[in-house]
Amino acid sequence: GSWYSVRSSVLAEYEEYYERLMSIENQSGIGENGFRVVEDQIFALEPDEEDSILMVPAFDERYNRLALFIVDTDGVILYRTEQLATNHCVTGRMRQPIQDIAAVSFQDLNRDGRTDIILITSCVNESGAYAEVFYTDILKQYPFPVFAGEKYMPEDVVWMQMSGPYQMVHINKNVYICDYLEDGLTNTGRRMKIHSPRGMLLRSKIYLENAQTCFKVKVKMMVLYIIYGYFAGYDGKRLFAEIPNKLLYLVCYLPSFFLYGNWKRKYRE
């Protein structure tokens, strides 16, 4: 009963949305019908011609779905579509987690003599987790460090090092469906990390030494650097000597030390 109600509701929402989309006859009517034009991603389909047909992308304000409009020189809509893969990030739901259009490209992908429009959108992962797939020859260049007696090494120790010389592509496709164990990493992660402090210390240091790491993340990583450093048996003098950002270390030291004591009582006993 509930599944049928949800499905009926989505169908009703789609019918209302599709009717608004199809009622748009000219470029000025895009905004009037609840769509937000992405002004910096409007492109001429024939850039070498002075009066070229335009590709105009727009987001529906209500459901955040992306639509494409092909517009002639008089502003008349020649073609429109919302049948795009990005509108199916979350199936069975009208509203989509699309944030922006990251890139637009025009290529003849299937070599049929016609130009294909390629859109790359950025989306928010509201639920679930990402799966990483890498070329084996590249992954072998960055082996996971091993510390005696430790059983956990975070993946981003390797990912962060790979992201410098190599570009990563993020694709919204279902790779597999899985379930989480009740006693898995999500629920036991902090205790596991505390018992693998040298790996966690290395992770924090990699983030802190990376010039691309934003300041907010660096503050978090400095706190973790100090905490896991103490769990690894380092003293404050050694931790201070081995990190480049001395001022941030001093600012974060006291709250990190108190948090270390709290975690030690809670997870090590």
Side-chain angles (χ1 to χ4, degrees):
S2 60
W3 175 85
Y4 179 79
S5 298
V6 170
R7 186 170 183 271
S8 298
S9 175
V10 172
L11 286 174
E13 290 173 344
Y14 184 79
E15 288 175 359
E16 180 275 330
Y17 160 78
Y18 190 72
E19 185 177 339
R20 281 191 292 112
L21 176 68
M22 298 306 293
S23 69
I24 302 171
E25 297 181 353
N26 51 61
Q27 188 171 351
S28 61
I30 297 175
E32 295 171 0
N33 283 275
F35 287 82
R36 173 178 56 83
V37 174
V38 187
E39 299 287 351
D40 61 346
Q41 297 290 357
I42 297 176
F43 289 96
L45 296 184
E46 298 171 324
D48 294 333
E49 296 187 12
E50 185 176 346
D51 295 326
S52 175
I53 294 173
L54 299 177
M55 182 209 72
V56 180
F59 285 103
D60 177 55
E61 298 279 9
R62 184 174 302 173
Y63 301 115
N64 211 45
R65 300 174 75 89
L66 180 62
L68 288 185
F69 299 89
I70 305 301
V71 184
D72 70 8
T73 54
D74 296 320
V76 176
I77 305 295
L78 302 176
Y79 178 78
R80 80 215 74 191
T81 185
E82 58 85 43
Q83 296 298 308
L84 307 169
T86 193
N87 288 332
H88 300 280
C89 293
V90 182
T91 57
R93 196 180 77 180
M94 276 296 292
R95 185 164 183 82
Q96 296 298 313
I98 312 167
Q99 280 191 314
D100 200 1
I101 298 176
V104 177
S105 178
F106 301 92
Q107 299 180 36
D108 182 6
L109 292 178
N110 54 2
R111 299 180 181 178
D112 63 354
R114 299 178 179 180
T115 301
D116 300 301
I117 301 174
I118 305 163
L119 294 170
I120 301 176
T121 59
S122 56
C123 304
V124 178
N125 186 32
E126 297 177 328
S127 61
Y130 292 117
E132 295 86 11
V133 180
F134 298 100
Y135 288 109
T136 304
D137 58 333
I138 294 176
L139 189 58
K140 284 181 177 179
Q141 299 174 31
Y142 300 89
F144 281 87
V146 177
F147 294 101
E150 297 194 0
K151 299 180 179 179
Y152 176 75
M153 174 63 66
E155 297 97 328
D156 51 358
V157 163
V158 170
W159 302 172
M160 280 293 290
Q161 296 177 78
M162 291 175 64
S163 66
Y166 296 101
Q167 295 292 322
M168 296 188 181
V169 178
H170 301 267
I171 302 173
N172 189 68
K173 293 290 184 182
N174 293 332
V175 180
Y176 56 81
I177 298 174
C178 64
D179 200 358
Y180 286 89
L181 298 173
E182 290 186 5
D183 58 347
L185 181 59
T186 302
N187 291 329
T188 63
R190 182 168 293 168
R191 189 181 301 276
M192 185 183 297
K193 293 171 184 176
I194 286 173
H195 285 83
S196 301
R198 285 174 292 176
M200 295 305 299
L201 179 67
L202 175 62
R203 174 192 185 237
S204 302
K205 194 172 182 180
I206 288 172
Y207 273 93
L208 288 167
E209 292 177 346
N210 192 311
Q212 301 300 316
T213 305
C214 71
F215 180 72
K216 183 178 179 180
V217 174
K218 282 194 174 183
V219 171
K220 176 184 177 180
M221 288 300 162
M222 182 62 79
V223 170
L224 295 177
Y225 171 80
I226 295 169
I227 291 173
Y228 289 117
Y230 274 105
F231 276 119
Y234 292 16
D235 57 28
K237 184 177 180 181
R238 179 176 176 181
L239 291 172
F240 182 77
E242 293 186 3
I243 205 68
N245 197 329
K246 311 297 186 186
L247 179 60
L248 184 60
Y249 177 93
L250 294 173
V251 171
C252 295
Y253 181 79
L254 282 179
S256 304
F257 186 77
F258 284 118
L259 193 56
Y260 158 72
N262 180 271
W263 287 7
K264 186 177 180 181
R265 288 189 298 272
K266 186 174 181 181
Y267 297 103
R268 269 282 175 98
E269 294 176 356

